[in-house]
């Protein structure tokens, strides 16, 4: 005679400690759970609501500048070090962990137009409207030294003013923008090479972080030009309908870069095919003044004249986050932190603000149970993100009244322009009728 007996291991249903939850045996057979989808939809809805309820993006403000913050630069090796340059010529070094200024120097008379660090992180370079380039030390020994014993910054004097600076990722070369684009070496007092293509002022210059010898510039005459540091001639030029204020390369995709334009939009281009934009990023209601990519290459942050900071996904046309405060004024500079967890914005009212890249993210240590719950909520939100109610709550953001009003006016104007274009197409012959592409209509021409 055989007797069948249920047998259970004590370890499978007993808690290891009193803080653990009780193990529960679950049968995942879908036939036994007919209401699984409605239950998970409600959980996804609750998780989305809680995400918006706990969205507190503002971390802190770095005060100390006596004039508007005009430019910023990250340290290549120190995660918490950030440089900022003000409109009164002062450059400050900040420790983001303590939110304190650890070094300050008056390097220019007038605006600090650009800042960058050397690849080693031992020096930084600043340029100003006073036609000077300053190369200063940025190591622990120099920072800790008393003010009387600190080494003076190396000064290079030019015949023309500067509007921006960027350093080569590997070689001892840095580029400055102004009436022309100059390539400099720290060992020489004169430019190594000069580039010019057009008759107007070049406003920004950026080296490609992957194809390190390629640099891109934007000028006041609405052109975006590409140069090769190894050659004496430029590669190609793109003429836009309106002026480009800032430019940033994608650190993970060697050929792609994003430009911030005066027409309130941002455009992502592939340098191999400039006749059409890869994407048009909209949401700002005034000129976009700065843009910076996350180290992951999946997102970028923008600062605008409309006093808002927005975060875009690299392949999306609309922003996923918008940050603003009552006191924050025109935003001249924005940066992603080197760990992609924080965003910094420098504005006209002498303050640098530190924000979380994900507004509802928990700062501090997380337990295993918290991380598991966070992962489960994220998977639920991803599964139900296209449901109308979940989508509406996840996308909703409060904006200042003037931004909201300007956006409504802008939508009305765009709708009217679209109607006029449709009417013009209807009254034309079939052969000549063509709808303008959003990715092409802002481009005037490409010159090679």
């Amino acid at each position: 005679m055989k007797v069948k007996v249920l047998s259970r291991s004590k370890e499978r249903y007993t808690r290891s400690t009193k803080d653990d939850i009780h193990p529960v045996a679950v049968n995942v057979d879908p036939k036994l759970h007919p209401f699984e989808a409605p239950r998970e939809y409600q959980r996804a809805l609750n998780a989305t609501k809680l995400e918006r309820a706990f969205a507190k993006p503002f971390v802190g403000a770095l005060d100390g500048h006596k004039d508007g913050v005009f430019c910023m630069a990250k340290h290549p090796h120190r995660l918490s070090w950030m440089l900022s340059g003000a409109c009164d010529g002062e450059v400050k070094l900040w420790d983001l962990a303590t939110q304190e200024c650890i070094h300050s120097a008056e390097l220019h008379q007038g605006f600090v137009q650009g800042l960058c660090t050397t690849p080693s992180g031992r020096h930084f370079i600043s340029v100003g409207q006073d036609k000077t380039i300053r190369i200063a030390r940025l190591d622990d020994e120099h920072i800790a030294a008393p003010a009387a014993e600190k080494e003076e910054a190396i000064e290079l004097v030019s015949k023309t003013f500067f509007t921006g600076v960027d350093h080569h990722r590997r070689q001892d070369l840095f580029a400055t923008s102004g009436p022309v684009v100059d390539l400099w070496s720290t060992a020489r007092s004169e430019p190594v090479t000069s580039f010019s293509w057009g008759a107007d002022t070049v406003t920004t210059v950026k080296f490609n972080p992957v194809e390190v010898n390629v640099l891109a510039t934007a000028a006041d005459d609405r052109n975006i030009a590409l140069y090769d540091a190894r050659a004496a001639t430029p590669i190609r030029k793109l003429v836009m309908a309106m002026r480009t204020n800032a430019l940033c390369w994608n650190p993970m995709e060697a050929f792609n870069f994003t430009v911030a334009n005066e027409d309130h939009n941002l455009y992502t281009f592939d340098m191999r095919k400039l006749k059409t934009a890869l994407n048009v990023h909209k949401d700002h209601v005034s000129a976009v003044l700065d843009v910076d990519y996350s180290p992951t290459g999946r997102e970028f942050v923008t600062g605008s004249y409309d006093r808002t900071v927005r975060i875009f996904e690299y392949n999306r046309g609309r922003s996923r986050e918008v940050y603003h405060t009552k006191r924050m004024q025109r935003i001249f500079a924005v940066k992603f932190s080197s760990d992609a967890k924080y965003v910094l914005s420098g504005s006209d009212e002498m303050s640098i603000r530190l924000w979380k890249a994900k507004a509802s993210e928990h700062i501090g240590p997380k337990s295993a149970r918290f991380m598991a719950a966070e992962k489960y909520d994220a998977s639920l939100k991803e599964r139900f993100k296209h449901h109308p109610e979940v989508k509406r709550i996840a996308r909703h953001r409060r904006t200042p009244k003037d931004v909201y009003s300007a956006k409504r006016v802008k939508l009305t104007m765009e709708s009217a322009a679209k109607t006029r274009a449709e009417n013009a197409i209807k009254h034309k012959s079939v052969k000549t009728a063509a709808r303008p592409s959003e990715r092409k209509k802002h481009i005037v021409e490409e010159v090679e």
Side-chain angles (χ1 to χ4, degrees):
M1 181 179 178
K2 293 183 179 180
V3 179
K4 294 183 178 180
V5 180
L6 294 175
S7 176
R8 292 184 179 180
S9 172
K10 188 177 181 180
E11 287 78 11
R12 294 186 62 184
Y13 62 87
T14 306
R15 293 183 298 174
S16 300
T17 65
K18 64 177 183 179
D19 296 325
D20 290 346
I21 59 175
H22 290 276
V24 179
V26 180
N27 190 335
V28 295
D29 186 1
K31 294 179 181 180
L32 300 177
H33 304 281
F35 300 108
E36 178 186 9
R39 183 166 60 245
E40 289 195 339
Y41 168 75
Q42 190 62 44
R43 289 176 180 173
L45 193 63
N46 292 341
T48 307
K49 290 178 179 178
L50 286 173
E51 180 187 19
R52 299 313 312 148
F54 288 106
K56 308 292 182 184
F58 183 70
V59 178
L62 310 178
D63 296 321
H65 278 293
K66 301 170 186 175
D67 208 334
V69 180
F70 197 74
C71 55
M72 294 191 293
K74 294 180 285 191
H75 194 281
H77 306 301
R78 295 290 186 92
L79 192 65
S80 62
W81 280 17
M82 176 70 67
L83 285 161
S84 63
C87 298
D88 60 354
E90 186 181 30
V91 177
K92 285 183 177 290
L93 175 64
W94 303 90
D95 186 347
L96 301 182
T98 60
Q99 298 183 22
E100 293 180 354
C101 175
I102 56 177
H103 177 64
S104 179
E106 293 276 353
L107 296 181
H108 297 278
Q109 296 178 357
F111 280 54
V112 180
Q113 292 287 89
L115 281 171
C116 72
T117 56
T118 58
S120 65
R122 294 183 60 83
H123 295 84
F124 73 89
I125 302 168
S126 66
V127 297
Q129 282 184 333
D130 57 358
K131 304 180 182 180
T132 61
I133 302 171
R134 297 295 184 100
I135 305 172
R137 288 179 59 185
L138 193 62
D139 50 26
D140 291 320
E141 182 182 350
H142 179 73
I143 300 302
E149 299 178 9
K150 287 187 177 180
E151 185 180 327
E152 289 290 329
I154 300 171
E155 180 179 357
L156 303 177
V157 181
S158 173
K159 297 177 182 178
T160 58
F161 63 92
F162 299 105
T163 57
V165 64
D166 196 29
H167 203 285
H168 195 284
R169 294 303 183 269
R170 296 174 188 167
Q171 299 177 16
D172 184 22
L173 286 175
F174 63 93
T176 59
S177 58
V180 295
V181 178
D182 292 324
L183 281 179
W184 301 73
S185 171
T186 54
R188 295 181 60 176
S189 59
E190 294 291 331
V192 177
T193 314
S194 293
F195 300 103
S196 63
W197 195 356
D200 221 327
T201 302
V202 179
T203 56
T204 183
V205 58
K206 292 290 181 182
F207 272 102
N208 191 322
V210 183
E211 295 290 336
V212 292
N213 291 304
V214 176
L215 62 151
T217 64
D220 280 338
D221 59 357
R222 301 176 289 125
N223 78 63
I224 301 165
L226 298 173
Y227 301 92
D228 192 329
R230 298 163 295 186
T233 57
I235 303 172
R236 61 181 62 181
K237 180 170 70 171
L238 177 70
V239 181
M240 301 285 290
M242 295 190 74
R243 191 184 74 172
T244 295
N245 294 319
L247 181 149
C248 188
W249 291 92
N250 189 323
M252 292 296 165
E253 296 178 356
F255 300 107
N256 296 349
F257 62 91
T258 299
V259 298
N261 205 270
E262 196 77 17
D263 64 359
H264 313 174
N265 299 334
L266 296 104
Y267 303 93
T268 298
F269 289 99
D270 187 329
M271 63 177 284
R272 298 166 295 182
K273 187 181 178 183
L274 296 175
K275 291 182 180 179
T276 179
L278 295 177
N279 214 330
V280 181
H281 310 278
K282 299 183 174 183
D283 263 347
H284 283 293
V285 296
S286 192
V288 188
L289 300 180
D290 199 14
V291 57
D292 186 53
Y293 262 95
S294 163
T296 61
R298 310 296 293 179
E299 293 179 333
F300 59 85
V301 60
T302 64
S304 172
Y305 201 73
D306 62 10
R307 303 191 292 275
T308 62
V309 177
R310 290 184 183 269
I311 299 176
F312 292 81
E313 294 181 19
Y314 79 107
N315 57 354
R316 299 285 182 179
R318 298 290 178 177
S319 61
R320 71 163 180 85
E321 286 291 353
V322 54
Y323 299 152
H324 56 87
T325 65
K326 289 183 179 180
R327 292 185 60 192
M328 189 161 66
Q329 295 301 311
R330 319 298 182 187
I331 299 167
F332 291 133
V334 289
K335 286 291 178 187
F336 248 106
S337 65
S338 297
D339 60 354
K341 289 188 176 182
Y342 298 96
V343 164
L344 292 105
S345 64
S347 49
D348 204 14
E349 86 295 344
M350 306 174 288
S351 182
I352 300 171
R353 288 178 173 82
L354 183 64
W355 314 82
K356 289 188 282 187
K358 293 182 180 178
S360 58
E361 186 177 17
H362 175 77
I363 297 178
K366 301 178 184 179
S367 65
R369 287 175 59 186
F370 183 88
M371 289 189 288
E374 203 172 42
K375 187 177 180 180
Y376 178 62
D377 287 345
S379 64
L380 287 178
K381 287 182 286 187
E382 179 65 24
R383 180 182 175 185
F384 294 98
K385 66 180 180 180
H386 296 297
H387 283 242
E389 192 68 11
V390 175
K391 187 176 181 180
R392 182 187 67 83
I393 295 171
R395 289 182 59 185
H396 179 71
R397 298 291 185 276
R398 292 189 178 274
T399 54
K401 186 177 179 181
D402 55 343
V403 174
Y404 178 76
S405 302
K407 190 170 184 179
R408 292 188 64 183
V409 172
K410 186 177 177 182
L411 289 174
T412 305
M413 294 171 64
E414 288 177 350
S415 178
K418 185 178 180 181
T419 303
R420 287 196 300 271
E422 291 289 338
N423 291 339
I425 291 171
K426 287 178 183 177
H427 290 83
K428 287 181 179 180
S429 63
V430 179
K431 293 181 180 179
T432 59
R435 288 175 174 80
S437 170
E438 187 68 27
R439 298 184 180 188
K440 291 183 179 180
K441 68 181 184 180
H442 302 283
I443 299 170
V444 177
E445 64 173 335
E446 181 186 4
V447 182
E448 293 189 5

